[in-house]
Amino acid sequence: MGEFELIRHYFAAATCARSGGEVLLGIGDDCALLALPAGEVLAVSTDTLVETVHFPGGCDPELLAQRALGVSASDLAAMGATPIGFTLALTLPEARPSWLEAFSRGLDAMAARCAMRLLGGDTTRGPLSLTLTVFGRLPRGAALTRSGARPGDLLCVGGPLGDGAGALALVLGQRQAPPSVADALLARYWAPRPQLDLGQALRGRASAALDISDGLLGDCGHIATASGVALRIESERIPLSAPLLQLLGHEQALAAALAGGDDYLLAFTLPPDQLPSLQAQGWPVHPIGTVEAGSGVRLVDSAGAPVAFADQGYRHFSS
Ligand code: ADP
Ligand code: MG
């Protein structure tokens, strides 16, 4: 199968590749064309996933596609953007129909869940890697950046943390668990649920936001630095899921939440008067700490005493 036949069959023909909405022109020309409503701006983010670096070799292509798009869409959620679509640059060692079929099925599933269209891409031969660029829109001035946190704000997260790291141990075969524990965690890993609706609900309400990809402490450090503030996190208020606690026990579950990565839930700061209405509307908003004057991230217990924690999260290229 040639490059063009492959693109036509597995990508241009996919449900998620249909034009419509903001997409005036999709796959097939030299560029896609997007129309933005007056007064709105484009939010753009790119992520690359390389086999054996970001996902295990030989993994299920349907799950891989789902995960790749879910993880990328999470960056749109973190800005409060409404998703439009994405491009896919795919490097493949070989064009195996069964692989491509399953891959495009996974892409379609996550694209439908996130209301995103496949806008275009590039297809090359080489070691397996994917680069996804996601596009979203939002009113000018409404984006949730990392830099708006102010002393007195609450620090909140969008759900239980650490499941991604717990699941990775299962994916890599480092741990085993019965289905009652493993299924929920593996679903979180292979089909992350980017908090797109929550992100949009936080527009005009949260003072800063990001999605947690590298562990709570490290990512909160980004908010602290960008906003020029200190964050105080109460370790006992960090939500942990029942399956994670069953898999790892409390101490290691907390470590997974603090430094584990792969959660793709939102962390955000909120003026305290915004909390009641968000919670009344049923949004998953879990206060875990406060914004203070100063710098850095402090982890404390319920009595306010410092909790020592060395690992600040995953970084490429660090020794
Ligand atoms: P060009 O050489 O002009 O960049 P290509 O031959 O790379 O064009 O791609 C032809 C069309 O197919 C373009 O519209 C491109 O966006 C799309 N395309 C190529 N690869 C993919 C892919 N993996 N997924 C989605 N669209 C793709
Ligand atoms: Mg090209």
Side-chain angles (χ1 to χ4, degrees):
M1 178 178 314
E3 175 191 337
F4 297 112
E5 201 192 333
L6 184 159
I7 294 167
R8 199 166 355 98
H9 192 78
Y10 296 104
F11 298 112
T15 306
C16 63
R18 290 190 192 140
S19 297
E22 300 86 356
V23 185
L24 302 181
L25 184 64
I27 295 176
D29 217 307
D30 292 305
C31 290
L33 298 176
L34 302 181
L36 279 194
E40 300 216 340
V41 298
L42 201 58
V44 182
S45 169
T46 292
D47 279 301
T48 294
L49 301 181
V50 177
E51 185 170 38
T52 72
V53 179
H54 301 97
F55 57 91
C59 79
D60 180 330
E62 182 170 357
L63 298 178
L64 173 62
Q66 266 186 197
R67 175 171 159 74
L69 183 54
V71 165
S72 295
S74 180
D75 285 322
L76 295 178
M79 297 302 280
T82 304
I84 296 174
F86 62 103
T87 61
L88 167 67
L90 183 61
T91 304
L92 284 173
E94 55 177 344
R96 244 194 12 257
S98 59
W99 195 96
L100 283 157
E101 198 82 61
F103 185 86
S104 88
R105 200 163 50 235
L107 211 56
D108 255 339
M110 188 55 79
R113 182 182 282 182
C114 298
M116 298 181 81
R117 294 167 195 271
L118 178 57
L119 305 171
D122 196 26
T123 307
T124 52
R125 190 183 289 270
L128 180 61
S129 82
L130 342 167
T131 297
L132 283 96
T133 302
V134 293
F135 299 84
R137 60 182 176 82
L138 71 186
R140 184 181 289 265
L144 306 174
T145 65
R146 299 176 176 191
S147 58
R150 294 292 168 261
D153 289 349
L154 300 173
L155 173 66
C156 304
V157 294
L161 302 180
D163 286 3
L168 185 61
L170 297 170
V171 170
L172 297 178
Q174 293 164 346
R175 283 185 184 260
Q176 272 78 41
S180 61
V181 170
D183 290 356
L185 295 174
L186 289 171
R188 297 237 14 137
Y189 184 86
W190 287 118
R193 292 168 186 252
Q195 297 191 294
L196 290 158
D197 294 340
L198 175 60
Q200 290 166 56
L202 291 175
R203 280 186 202 159
R205 300 164 111 177
S207 48
L210 49 59
D211 65 320
I212 304 169
S213 53
D214 300 327
L216 178 69
L217 287 182
D219 285 323
C220 283
H222 297 316
I223 291 182
T225 302
S227 298
V229 297
L231 297 181
R232 176 181 185 275
I233 300 176
E234 288 178 42
S235 64
E236 281 136 60
R237 301 184 76 182
I238 297 171
L240 303 169
S241 76
L244 185 72
L245 287 166
Q246 276 173 273
L247 181 74
L248 298 181
H250 186 269
E251 194 178 324
Q252 284 189 52
L254 182 63
L258 291 171
D262 283 328
D263 279 323
Y264 304 105
L265 293 171
L266 300 186
F268 47 96
T269 58
L270 210 59
D273 60 353
Q274 297 287 348
L275 182 65
S277 68
L278 282 166
Q279 287 185 327
Q281 288 165 12
W283 294 109
V285 175
H286 305 265
I288 59 164
T290 47
V291 182
E292 300 176 333
S295 64
V297 179
R298 281 197 304 134
L299 189 65
V300 300
D301 64 19
S302 53
V307 175
F309 198 82
D311 191 342
Q312 296 282 310
Y314 184 78
R315 277 185 217 102
H316 290 276
F317 303 117
S318 61
S319 47

